[in-house]
Structure formats: C-alpha cells, structure tokens
Amino acid sequence: MKGTNFNTYAESFDERIKSDPNIKDKQLYRTFTLKPWRFWEWHEWVIHYKRFTLPYISEEQILENRKKEGLPEKY
C-alpha cells in the first residue's frame, strides 16, 4: 500500500470545511478520469466506491477557479 488513503483525505477535507466557514466550494472532487478498460483496477471501484463517484474537475478548471479567487496558480 502506497501513500495516504482516501478516507484520510476525506476526513482532512471535512475538518478543513468545519474550521473555515468562509470556504465557498465545499465539494470534494476527483482529479482523475475513469478508465474502465483498466480491468485490473475494477476491484478498487468496488472497494472504494465513494472515491470514484466524486465529481470530476480538470486541472485547467482548477487553475481557472484559482485565478477567479485571486489565488496563485501553484497549489
């Protein structure tokens, strides 16, 4: 197992939302596209269903949103 798991990220996101009521977008997104031809990853779709049902947002959209908010491009 590599890296931090999804539940840790989701919990951190929830804590961040609770700690700062001024956050405008309170939705957690996924930044990866689904690739159903990668059949060897299908078990992940079943085991970690919530992770794969999050709405998708592209890197371009993230940068566009950051510009609108007056934030730096790097995050």
Side-chain angles (χ1 to χ4, degrees):
M1 297 192 33
K2 298 189 281 185
T4 307
N5 68 24
F6 171 73
N7 291 333
T8 303
Y9 282 116
E11 290 170 9
S12 296
F13 182 76
D14 289 340
E15 289 298 319
R16 176 77 171 116
I17 294 297
K18 289 176 188 173
S19 69
D20 188 357
N22 297 324
I23 295 176
K24 293 179 184 175
D25 190 359
K26 297 180 189 247
Q27 174 65 48
L28 185 60
Y29 296 94
R30 65 181 164 84
T31 57
F32 59 92
T33 57
L34 300 177
K35 300 173 181 85
W37 61 87
R38 296 175 73 167
F39 60 87
W40 56 91
E41 294 179 344
W42 287 355
H43 71 282
E44 290 289 323
W45 291 25
V46 173
I47 295 171
H48 304 291
Y49 178 77
K50 287 174 113 180
R51 176 179 175 213
F52 293 95
T53 57
L54 292 171
Y56 172 74
I57 188 169
S58 67
E59 293 290 327
E60 293 81 22
Q61 185 64 42
I62 293 171
L63 291 174
E64 184 179 312
N65 291 345
R66 292 183 67 79
K67 286 179 185 176
K68 286 180 187 175
E69 296 292 322
L71 298 170
E73 288 187 22
K74 299 280 183 177
Y75 54 93

